[in-house]
Structures are given as structure tokens and as C-alpha cells.
């Protein structure tokens, strides 16, 4: 008897390190792998196919222009079964290097007077912003902010654990963040916290005697 196996099927590829969605980097290092994969070829966007490369050699991309990019990869096994270039494995992402604009703090909040230890901070929306980073501090240099939050809306009310711990001037700032991770400029505001007039917190014991 004599036995052998016919294998005419190209292996499946696995790509590691491909940027996802919108990113603010112009470089990427991508590893090509998969069970049985020994070599590959790749093409970026409308470029030409590379020569065959061993899987031990990574794809190193740099200097990518801002905009959408697609990487195409075909792989082969040790028998020489190549994935067709007419049906390659692809991965797409977008390079976004544009810094979002700056929000505006309404005049009434910069400066303003707050009588609650949990004030609501407000700002205007920025086109293209996915989130906003806010900070609240008792010093103008924000060295040790009391509050540091990423929020999705255009206002934020301090939580109970973030309540202001003293009266006086407080500083806060906000900046826009887009989906790629680009950060806009800080816009700074301030307000004075004045505790409401009334009976302070304490315990009182009243004794009545006839």
C-alpha cells in the first residue's frame, strides 16, 4: 500500500496589531499568523502587492496620511497553497490627526457663584467631540484636582464624594476629546462657593426644667 494526502486549501490568516476604528497615530506594527501559515504578501490601499515574506517578519507601517486606510493580506502554507489575491483578508481603519475645537463656558458659569457643594458645570458642544475631560481644583495650576472625569454630555454635576470641601474660589476646566483620542485645548473657568446661610451642622441638646 501507499498513502498520501492532497491538500489544496489555503490556510486562514490571523492579524494582530491592526489599528481599530479612528486612531491618531500614523504608524502600525502588524503580525501575520494563523495555523499552518508560513508566508504572506500584503498590499496597503491601492499600492502593489509585496513579495512573499516569512511570517516571522512583521508588517511595519509608518508615515500614514490622514484618512482611511485598508490593509490586504494573502497567506500560504508550507505546501505553497496561496490565498487568492482576488479574495484577500482585509482590515480597515482611519487616521485622524485633527484636534477638536474648544468648548465655551457660558458667562454665568465663569465666574459664577455657587451655593451648593455639588455644582453643575456646563459648556457648549464641540463638533466632532466624542467626550469631554473636566477637572475641578482649589488651585489655578490644577496640581491636585478634586475632580477628574471623562463625560459624554455637555454638563456634569459633582457626585457626593466630590462635594466641595471649603468655601471660596474654585477653578475648573474642560477640553474636548474625539474618537481618535485627539485632545483640544483646555478652557478654564472659576466660581465662588458660598455656603448657604442657615444653621450649621451639629448636635443640639435642649434641656427643659419646670
Amino acid at each position: 500500500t501507499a498513502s498520501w494526502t492532497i491538500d489544496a486549501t489555503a490556510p486562514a490568516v490571523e492579524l494582530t496589531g491592526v489599528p481599530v476604528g479612528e486612531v491618531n497615530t500614523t504608524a502600525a506594527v502588524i503580525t501575520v499568523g494563523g495555523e499552518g501559515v508560513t508566508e504572506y504578501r500584503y498590499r496597503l490601499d491601492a499600492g502593489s502587492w509585496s513579495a512573499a515574506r516569512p511570517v516571522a517578519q512583521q508588517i511595519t507601517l509608518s508615515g500614514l496620511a490622514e484618512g482611511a486606510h485598508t490593509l490586504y493580506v494573502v497567506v500560504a502554507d508550507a505546501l505553497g497553497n496561496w490565498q487568492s489575491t482576488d479574495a484577500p483578508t482585509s482590515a480597515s481603519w482611519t487616521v485622524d490627526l485633527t484636534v477638536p475645537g474648544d468648548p465655551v463656558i457660558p458667562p454665568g458659569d465663569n465666574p459664577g457663584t455657587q451655593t451648593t457643594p455639588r455644582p453643575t458645570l456646563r459648556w457648549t458642544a464641540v463638533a466632532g467631540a466624542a467626550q469631554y475631560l473636566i477637572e475641578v481644583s482649589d488651585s489655578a495650576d490644577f496640581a491636585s484636582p478634586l475632580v477628574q472625569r471623562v463625560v459624554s454630555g455637555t454638563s456634569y454635576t459633582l457626585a457626593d464624594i466630590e462635594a466641595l470641601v471649603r468655601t471660596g474660589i474654585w477653578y475648573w476646566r474642560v477640553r474636548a476629546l474625539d474618537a481618535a483620542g485627539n485632545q483640544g485645548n483646555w478652557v478654564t473657568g472659576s466660581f465662588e462657593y458660598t455656603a448657604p446661610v442657615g444653621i450649621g451642622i451639629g448636635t443640639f441638646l435642649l434641656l427643659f426644667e419646670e
Side-chain angles (χ1 to χ4, degrees):
T1 63
S3 301
W4 65 93
T5 299
I6 296 175
D7 178 4
T9 302
V13 62
E14 296 177 1
L15 301 178
T16 306
V18 179
V20 178
E22 296 183 19
V23 299
N24 60 356
T25 177
T26 61
V29 177
I30 300 167
T31 300
V32 180
E35 184 177 357
V37 176
T38 58
E39 56 183 338
Y40 69 93
R41 299 170 63 196
Y42 79 93
R43 174 168 67 89
L44 180 65
D45 300 331
S48 57
W49 287 99
S50 70
R53 312 173 71 180
V55 291
Q57 185 175 358
Q58 296 175 309
I59 301 174
T60 302
L61 305 175
S62 62
L64 297 176
E66 192 168 12
H69 295 281
T70 301
L71 177 72
Y72 303 92
V73 176
V74 293
V75 296
D77 58 20
L79 296 175
N81 293 313
W82 276 96
Q83 181 180 1
S84 172
T85 55
D86 293 330
T89 299
S90 64
S92 300
W93 68 95
T94 299
V95 175
D96 177 8
L97 305 177
T98 302
V99 175
D102 301 333
V104 175
I105 298 175
D109 294 310
N110 183 27
T113 300
Q114 303 289 338
T115 58
T116 170
R118 298 177 54 237
T120 298
L121 311 176
R122 298 180 178 86
W123 56 91
T124 60
V126 174
Q131 294 176 311
Y132 300 88
L133 176 61
I134 63 168
E135 292 183 345
V136 179
S137 176
D138 58 358
S139 62
D141 60 2
F142 293 88
S144 300
L146 172 70
V147 178
Q148 192 173 57
R149 293 280 184 176
V150 175
V151 300
S152 56
T154 56
S155 67
Y156 179 73
T157 301
L158 271 62
D160 289 338
I161 62 173
E162 299 168 337
L164 304 180
V165 294
R166 65 160 181 81
T167 59
I169 300 299
W170 286 82
Y171 304 90
W172 71 284
R173 60 185 183 178
V174 57
R175 73 195 312 178
L177 312 174
D178 65 16
N182 297 303
Q183 300 183 356
N185 298 314
W186 284 114
V187 176
T188 304
S190 64
F191 59 85
E192 181 179 6
Y193 168 49
T194 303
V197 178
I199 299 176
I201 298 175
T203 301
F204 298 89
L205 177 63
L206 301 180
L207 299 178
F208 295 92
E209 181 178 352
E210 292 184 359

